[in-house]
Amino acid sequence: QVLEQESMRVFYFSIHNARPPLNDVHFRQALAYAFDYDGFINDILKGAVARNPGPNPNNLWGAPKDLKGFTFDLDKAKAELAQVKEPLRPITVGALAGFSESEQSATLLQNTAKKIGIDIKIESAPWQVIQSRMQDKEKNYDLVPLWKSTYYVDPNNWVGELYGTRYIGTRNYSYNSDPELDAWINEALLTSDQAKRQELYEKAARKVTDDAMGIFVYNTKWYGPYAKNVAGIRFSPIGSGQDMRWAYFN
């Protein structure tokens, strides 16, 4: 038996929001329109993942249910690029060496971005090197395709830590600092009202998505192959995705 479950592990491009020309929302939006989401998910990954248009996992509260996100549209990408005032320059993507999806997504974006006049250079390096550089505002890459896993099941694990100013230097590798976004994130951390928290995190997710603070691609799916006489399997978004406390043999 195989149990399929959409997990909470978001694959996205971290974008250095504090460095020209990536600090221009139109340049980031051009990149977001230039990524072939369907091609990557359906052709390269054979549909083994679920499209995830925003920073929070689809299957978690705090992710707007009507959020469409960006689609692959080179005409819209060109239109956004035409509004960029900063001079263009080659963009460097740091891909995780040995992680095929990180390297493949970087190559895909390199090929499509070239069609709208954005030159991308790819540097593959081990995670330790990538992480070390991401923690330095000056040495960080322009973009890094990677995953944000479930360390705790709360929207703050994603939209809060990835884009809140308070997390710069720890989880916020985009060096994004937005006062309006910070106000929503901080208020959500201070209240225990679930409905209010959901409203705040949905607003934050919309702003992060619309302003293309990152390029959000997919949410992983968990596939648990088990012998037919194993029962009681429960999915867990934390760690390996398996909560084995409930498992037993028939």
Side-chain angles (χ1 to χ4, degrees):
Q1 58 178 331
V2 175
L3 306 177
E4 179 181 332
Q5 173 77 42
E6 190 171 329
S7 64
M8 296 180 181
R9 186 167 178 255
V10 175
F11 182 80
Y12 74 109
F13 282 78
S14 176
I15 299 178
H16 197 320
N17 281 233
R19 177 185 294 154
L22 297 151
N23 59 349
D24 187 320
V25 64
H26 296 294
F27 188 85
R28 299 195 305 271
Q29 289 172 334
L31 286 173
Y33 277 124
F35 188 77
D36 187 354
Y37 304 91
D38 289 342
F40 186 63
I41 290 171
N42 296 322
D43 297 335
I44 295 177
L45 301 183
K46 307 302 180 185
V49 298
R51 175 80 175 102
N52 204 99
N56 294 332
N58 293 327
N59 53 344
L60 179 69
W61 62 273
K65 301 306 178 188
D66 61 344
L67 186 66
K68 301 299 182 185
F70 285 82
T71 56
F72 179 47
D73 191 323
L74 291 181
D75 288 334
K76 288 183 178 179
K78 290 175 184 176
E80 292 296 336
L81 195 61
Q83 299 182 64
V84 177
K85 296 180 174 60
E86 294 279 356
L88 300 184
R89 61 171 176 80
I91 301 301
T92 302
V93 176
L96 277 64
F99 291 84
S100 59
E101 292 170 39
S102 181
E103 294 176 315
Q104 288 168 335
S105 63
T107 301
L108 181 62
L109 182 61
Q110 181 186 51
N111 292 336
T112 52
K114 186 176 182 180
K115 296 177 181 179
I116 63 170
I118 297 177
D119 180 23
I120 289 180
K121 298 180 180 180
I122 300 172
E123 294 182 9
S124 291
W127 167 240
Q128 292 83 354
V129 174
I130 297 279
Q131 184 183 41
S132 175
R133 288 189 56 172
M134 290 178 78
Q135 290 173 339
D136 187 314
K137 184 177 181 180
E138 302 306 318
K139 294 180 180 178
N140 191 10
Y141 302 94
D142 293 314
L143 287 87
V144 178
L146 75 170
W147 294 264
K148 175 63 172 175
S149 296
T150 313
Y151 297 107
Y152 52 97
V153 189
D154 187 275
N156 192 68
N157 181 72
W158 290 274
V159 71
E161 291 193 357
L162 293 178
Y163 299 101
T165 300
R166 65 165 63 222
Y167 297 102
I168 286 177
T170 54
R171 299 289 188 188
N172 181 349
Y173 298 128
S174 68
Y175 295 91
N176 174 78
S177 184
D178 183 288
E180 185 177 43
L181 185 64
D182 283 342
W184 297 334
I185 291 169
N186 292 339
E187 185 179 351
L189 289 171
L190 291 171
T191 181
S192 58
D193 183 330
Q194 180 73 358
K196 184 61 177 177
R197 296 192 78 224
Q198 179 166 342
E199 176 190 346
L200 291 164
Y201 282 128
E202 287 191 7
K203 286 166 65 174
R206 289 185 195 281
K207 182 175 181 61
V208 167
T209 303
D210 292 345
D211 289 354
M213 296 179 186
I215 301 174
F216 306 102
V217 183
Y218 73 73
N219 195 6
T220 56
K221 289 184 179 180
W222 171 77
Y223 299 89
Y226 296 98
K228 290 182 178 180
N229 63 337
V230 175
I233 297 297
R234 295 191 185 184
F235 169 73
S236 168
I238 306 288
S240 65
Q242 303 173 75
D243 191 341
M244 302 301 294
R245 292 175 297 171
W246 312 97
Y248 61 92
F249 288 106
N250 280 320

